[in-house]
Amino acid sequence: MSDRLPPRRRSGGGRHVATAPAAATRRSRQAGAHRAPQDHRPRTPRPLAPRIAQGGVVVALAVALGVVLVNPATGEGATASSATSLTGADTAAAQAAQAARSTREKVAQVADAVTAHAVAVRADGAQAQVPADQLAQLDALRTQVADLVTKVQAEDAAARTDRAGVASRGGSSSERSAAPAPAASGTAASPAPSGPATADPTSTSAALSEPSPTSSSTASAGTPTAGATPSASSGAATPAATPTPTASGSTAAPSSDATSAAPTPSASPSASATLSDPSASVDTPDQVAAAIPQVLGTEDPDAAQLRDAVIALARSTAAVSAAADANRAAAKAAADAATQQAAAAAEAAAAQAAAAAQRAAWKTSLQGYPNGKIPASALCAPTFDSGALLRCDAAEALDSLDAAYVQAFGVHLTINDSYRSYAAQVACLSTRGWLCATPGTSHHGLGIAVDLGGGIEVPGSPQHDWMVKNAATFQFEHPAWAQPDGSKPEPWHWEYTG
């Protein structure tokens, strides 16, 4: 028999436990003598449901309070409860900003066109001698419009610089925020990666930081969300279906700043078409008012002030243009009148010269005829008495005298005798004796003497006195010998002296 004691049984949590040698058992006891006694009672596993409930409460509180979930890989995060609403607000704000910029650009385009037209009209007005106060008003409005255009363009340049800076600082965030999120309902769940139960933190933060198109879209519908912004790289509406994340939890993102880079439709396409039309004209205030877009002072005070200044400049330009046209028309009318007056004066002078030449010709035309021997064809009759004959220049002067006499008395001159032939002078001498001149010496035989009646033959009568006063004006005289105190008084006898 051996002197070694049989090994003792130890409870090891099971009924069949292998026995250990005694020496090994003693060494084990000595090595673990300093350790605290251990409780080898079997442990009951804790239930999983309370832990799941606690996690759900934490997640619900985080979503309700807008807790920012941070992606440890990137150091960035997003508020889960407001991601979608912030994306929609940013899109609306970007569209409003784009519309405001488009309106400003159109106002500036019209301002440039109106200013160019004003410069041309100003130069034309200076040549047309438009009043200086109108030109000064036009210059002041041009300066005001130029200053406002500079101000508006400077503000737009500053805004573009700010947007560029924001885009450069937040490009990666924009890329992640632009990635589409899975729909809340109707979409297939992504397969969970195998391995330990620890969740990938990037998958949760990425899902919360990405805007969700809508809660009611389905993957099977394949239609874009109503408020979604199309991707800048695809140029078409992106369907609501969400790509399955990779094993690492990352999702594919579109190009940088997809939301802000997407083109925004113009707020006033009709005005843009009008301004881009090269045939559009802005020469009148009505055309300018039709071409320039409406701007409310409460929305954009600077653009509204520029619009009002441009319309005022167009009206001032139209006023200067109208004044220039009026001055040119007046100058042309004055020049035409001066030309007509000069032509009339020249014509009158020519007529007078022709008449003088004719009278001279008439005066000399009878010099070849003896006294009392002038043919009737060489003589002329006054217009008011076709029965009388005189030398033509004498007959013309007697017409003028008769016209003045008619104005004074209302009747024509009464002619009792005019040209007298040689035979008629002989007969007068034989019948009237000394009252008739010797044949061949009488002024009647030359066609320049008349015997008048109608009251003129009576000395001291109104008619005779009028003749004495006015006859010389028309180159007629009463000879001294025929006056009442003359050698042979004949108050009726008047002779032409021209």
Side-chain angles (χ1 to χ4, degrees):
M1 296 181 61
S2 171
D3 56 354
R4 300 177 61 180
L5 297 176
R8 292 182 303 174
R9 287 181 172 271
R10 296 180 59 189
S11 176
R15 295 181 62 183
H16 303 283
V17 179
T19 60
T25 301
R26 286 194 295 270
R27 287 194 302 268
S28 174
R29 290 177 179 177
Q30 291 176 358
H34 65 279
R35 297 179 181 176
Q38 297 180 356
D39 187 4
H40 297 284
R41 291 176 300 176
R43 297 181 180 180
T44 303
R46 297 177 63 184
L48 183 61
R51 281 193 278 178
I52 295 177
Q54 291 175 358
V57 170
V58 172
V59 172
L61 290 176
V63 172
L65 297 177
V67 176
V68 177
L69 303 180
V70 179
N71 187 339
T74 61
E76 298 178 355
T79 303
S81 62
S82 61
T84 302
S85 61
L86 285 179
T87 302
D90 291 343
T91 301
Q95 291 177 347
Q98 177 63 25
R101 289 194 299 271
S102 177
T103 300
R104 284 189 166 208
E105 291 175 358
K106 294 167 189 173
V107 173
Q109 284 180 346
V110 177
D112 292 340
V114 172
T115 300
H117 181 58
V119 170
V121 170
R122 206 278 184 202
D124 182 65
Q127 293 181 353
Q129 297 181 350
V130 172
D133 57 342
Q134 284 188 282
L135 296 179
Q137 182 183 13
L138 181 63
D139 292 339
L141 289 172
R142 283 172 50 205
T143 302
Q144 181 184 7
V145 169
D147 293 342
L148 289 173
V149 168
T150 302
K151 181 179 180 181
V152 168
Q153 290 177 346
E155 291 174 353
D156 289 344
R160 284 193 297 270
T161 302
D162 293 342
R163 289 195 302 273
V166 171
S168 63
R169 292 192 301 271
S172 59
S173 176
S174 300
E175 292 177 359
R176 285 187 297 276
S177 63
S185 64
T187 58
S190 301
S194 61
T198 304
D200 188 358
T202 59
S203 62
T204 304
S205 62
L208 292 178
S209 63
E210 295 168 356
S212 174
T214 179
S215 61
S216 61
S217 61
T218 61
S220 60
T223 57
T225 306
T229 302
S231 173
S233 61
S234 63
T238 304
T242 305
T244 303
T246 60
S248 62
S250 62
T251 58
S255 60
S256 175
D257 201 5
T259 303
S260 61
T264 303
S266 172
S268 302
S270 61
S272 176
T274 302
L275 289 175
S276 61
D277 185 4
S279 63
S281 177
V282 289
D283 295 338
T284 66
D286 292 340
Q287 293 174 342
V288 172
I292 195 167
Q294 294 286 343
V295 183
L296 296 179
T298 56
E299 297 177 353
D300 194 340
D302 293 336
Q305 186 179 6
L306 175 57
R307 182 183 189 277
D308 295 340
V310 169
I311 294 177
L313 177 60
R315 291 172 179 167
S316 179
T317 302
V320 171
S321 179
D325 292 342
N327 287 357
R328 280 192 296 268
K332 184 177 183 301
D336 293 343
T339 302
Q340 292 176 358
Q341 289 179 355
E347 184 178 356
Q352 290 178 356
Q358 183 63 52
R359 284 192 296 269
W362 286 335
K363 186 175 184 179
T364 59
S365 64
L366 303 182
Q367 292 179 358
Y369 297 100
N371 190 305
K373 301 294 185 177
I374 302 173
S377 59
L379 300 172
C380 295
T383 57
F384 64 94
D385 189 351
S386 59
L389 291 176
L390 292 171
R391 200 173 71 187
C392 291
D393 56 334
E396 184 182 47
L398 188 60
D399 280 335
S400 300
L401 176 61
D402 177 73
Y405 186 84
V406 169
Q407 289 183 355
F409 298 100
V411 295
H412 291 285
L413 293 171
T414 300
I415 302 176
N416 293 328
D417 200 0
S418 56
Y419 171 73
R420 191 180 298 163
S421 65
Y422 188 87
Q425 187 68 25
V426 171
C428 177
L429 181 60
S430 63
T431 58
R432 300 176 64 180
W434 62 277
L435 291 176
C436 294
T438 303
T441 62
S442 173
H443 284 75
H444 286 280
L446 299 177
I448 57 174
V450 291
D451 293 340
L452 302 177
I456 296 176
E457 76 282 5
V458 180
S461 66
Q463 293 80 2
H464 185 84
D465 293 342
W466 187 90
M467 285 292 295
V468 171
K469 182 179 180 181
N470 296 287
T473 304
F474 303 94
Q475 297 181 310
F476 278 88
E477 68 174 3
H478 191 42
W481 59 266
Q483 294 181 7
D485 57 349
S487 59
K488 190 169 58 174
E490 291 183 8
W492 58 83
H493 184 86
W494 299 80
E495 295 177 356
Y496 175 68
T497 61

